[in-house]
Amino acid sequence: DTGVSQDPRHKITKRGQNVTFRCDPISEHNRLYWYRQTLGQGPEFLTYFQNEAQLEKSRLLSDRFSAERPKGSFSTLEIQRTEQGDSAMYLCASSLVSGGDLFSTDTQYFGPGTRLTVL
Amino acid sequence: GDSVTQMEGPVTLSEEAFLTINCTYTATGYPSLFWYVQYPGEGLQLLLKATKADDKGSNKGFEATYRKETTSFHLEKGSVQVSDSAVYFCALSSSGTGNTGKLIFGQGTTLQVKP
């Protein structure tokens, strides 16, 4: 399977604990996105990377959230001091934008998500 | 800011009925428009897309036409099947110089098809 993978698929944690999620994009995809989806809502953009550079962060991404993509391949999303309001599905997506057209619209392919429950 | 509005669900239809799920958007410039589908227990899958006005996206019997004059991208299917039961999301992505490619989603519409 060469799709986007995410690990873990489910995470239950207690309030105040730190959690880290991993996303492995489709090989050769240069863009990687993180979204958050709460029950009954559409996904909301959190942040994205072009190769290893983090180019935009949403206002939703508080100081407790940090994301990295150190070698331009996999990415991690860490949440420190989790709160009950952080409970959601965290989605990762990747896309390929051609080198000569970095500003074109890309098609994003989503992973299965990591469901976080904060008790 | 940019936004997407979908008709509220759930939408309940009998098999072989005609489907329309309405989607309208607000955006500056000329966004690309998408429909994603989420089957029970699965991740989001791209269903179809259109990148400019009057384009028609189609896939698996579904189609949607990018209507700039009405800022709409309604999803249609002539004859639904039980296997089409899922949550459908309309989304836009701003295009042009400097775009981030981030998707802005509607709230989703649940479709239930009964045999």
Side-chain angles (χ1 to χ4, degrees):
Chain A
D1 185 10
T2 58
V4 178
S5 62
Q6 293 186 245
D7 184 69
R9 295 290 304 275
H10 303 274
K11 179 69 176 179
I12 300 173
T13 191
K14 293 183 179 179
R15 188 179 54 179
Q17 297 296 304
N18 299 342
V19 294
T20 300
F21 310 141
R22 176 180 170 123
C23 171
D24 287 89
I26 293 172
S27 180
E28 307 302 326
H29 276 193
N30 49 12
R31 281 189 176 175
L32 187 149
Y33 299 81
W34 286 98
Y35 294 85
R36 182 171 67 187
Q37 185 179 19
T38 53
L39 200 61
Q41 300 297 315
E44 295 175 294
F45 170 78
L46 293 179
T47 188
Y48 98 103
F49 294 83
Q50 176 88 27
N51 298 313
E52 66 275 9
Q54 187 174 18
L55 297 186
E56 184 175 343
K57 294 192 291 186
S58 163
R59 291 176 290 119
L60 294 175
L61 216 63
S62 75
D63 291 344
R64 297 184 297 106
F65 289 70
S66 63
E68 295 183 341
R69 195 184 183 197
K71 297 183 179 179
S73 57
F74 74 92
S75 175
T76 58
L77 177 67
E78 180 182 18
I79 309 174
Q80 296 182 328
R81 305 181 303 282
T82 52
E83 302 173 356
Q84 289 184 327
D86 297 330
S87 295
M89 178 76 86
Y90 290 83
L91 301 172
C92 175
S94 70
S95 67
L96 175 64
V97 178
S98 300
D101 191 11
L102 290 176
F103 304 112
S104 68
T105 299
D106 51 338
T107 296
Q108 296 176 35
Y109 298 88
F110 283 79
T114 294
R115 181 169 296 283
L116 172 66
T117 301
V118 182
L119 302 176
Chain B
D2 295 355
S3 66
V4 174
T5 302
Q6 292 181 234
M7 63 186 289
E8 289 192 17
V11 173
T12 303
L13 296 174
S14 297
E15 208 164 23
E16 298 184 4
F18 184 86
L19 169 71
T20 299
I21 300 178
N22 290 338
C23 171
T24 57
Y25 68 90
T26 301
T28 54
Y30 304 96
S32 292
L33 301 174
F34 304 82
W35 277 100
Y36 279 83
V37 59
Q38 190 170 36
Y39 297 103
E42 299 184 16
L44 282 166
Q45 301 176 25
L46 178 66
L47 182 58
L48 53 84
K49 71 175 185 179
T51 58
K52 60 182 187 296
D54 299 326
D55 267 3
K56 178 185 284 188
S58 61
N59 185 27
K60 298 181 181 179
F62 292 89
E63 58 183 34
T65 301
Y66 189 145
R67 301 287 189 199
K68 188 173 184 298
E69 62 276 13
T70 55
T71 62
S72 65
F73 192 55
H74 304 321
L75 182 68
E76 297 182 335
K77 187 175 185 182
S79 176
V80 294
Q81 305 300 313
V82 172
S83 57
D84 294 326
S85 298
V87 182
Y88 292 81
F89 293 93
C90 184
L92 70 81
S93 174
S94 295
S95 59
T97 301
N99 91 85
T100 67
K102 68 183 179 187
L103 291 168
I104 296 171
F105 286 88
Q107 76 272 30
T109 302
T110 299
L111 170 65
Q112 297 175 331
V113 181
K114 297 187 175 181

